Amino acid sequence: MKKLPLLLALTLTAACGCTAGAEELTDVSMAFCTWTGYAPMFIAKENGYFEEKGVNVDIKVIEDESTYAALITQGSVQFLATAQDPNIKMYANGASSRYLLAMDSSNGADGLVAAGDIQSLDDLAGKTLALDKSASSYYFFLTALENGSSLTEDDIKVMDMGDTTQAGLAFMSGSVDAAIMWEPELSEALETVEGAHTLVTSADYPDTIVDSLVVNTKFAEEHPETVEAVREAWYEAVDFMNSDPEKAYELMASGFEDVEAEDVAADVKGLVFFGREENEKLNDVASENSIFAISQKMADFWQEKGECETNVLDDFFALVK
């Protein structure tokens, strides 16, 4: 699914009051960009799971992720969904946020696609590679490079496209030798570009691209029951998706522009969604695959790269530890 820029006229206000009606509902807003991993939230909204729990959720599709830290810190939105490593970087650099739950992980939906003469990561030396450094797949790329080659990023002519879709299109046009891309451009490139193949995908590094939901710190402290209601609604939405995928994909697509149910169905093949049971396993501090261990690797990595002011995440996980 494409994360397409949208021309949105949004008036973002702190929405923590109540609306009149048969029952009083707590009004909150939630933001995320166009991506299937977040789309079960539309199931929760359309099926009434939020309202059943006393919450009215205004979902805002905001493609400009550079605004996210300010929005969650100011409380202009109370809940924010994006990839875990950007969430960690925002928190580590001063954003007022708390981790609530893991939503999904990429299991092949992201990949490094290269031309036919590039048969290994080491063959990228001196080649031109397009990517979006603001995207979660950048962490995946650097992790793969560190673990699967003798190269550093400086050995490659990296073009920061500022948009992963554009990186994929640059590869398909022949402008670059390789690109980090996600679906649907990943499959399209493999089908249409002669000799194109994946050197590595997120299935090889499943812990590098995890999407998560965070909540504004002050709101979480003042409204713990609402935070719990949103968590439970997500779990119900994932259960519905697993039990009735055909209907679920329609609901998931309905909240985005230029997205159809078949687009969602294609994306889901490369994703793993996290419901109640999966989140309980991720929250097991004794597990080497816990969300805490995964996130600590991210924080350590980005602090070493100079992108995080701290790698101490205790307060970030206050709601689940």
Side-chain angles (χ1 to χ4, degrees), residues 24-47:
E24 289 188 340
L25 301 178
T26 300
D27 292 337
V28 301
S29 56
M30 178 185 297
F32 48 77
C33 67
T34 303
W35 177 238
T36 295
Y38 314 131
M41 286 299 184
F42 294 122
I43 298 175
K45 186 172 179 66
E46 295 302 318
N47 282 356

Side-chain angles (χ1 to χ4, degrees), residues 40 43 48 97 117 155 181 189 192 224 318:
I43 298 175
S97 57
D117 61 331
D155 297 315
M181 61 185 82
T192 61

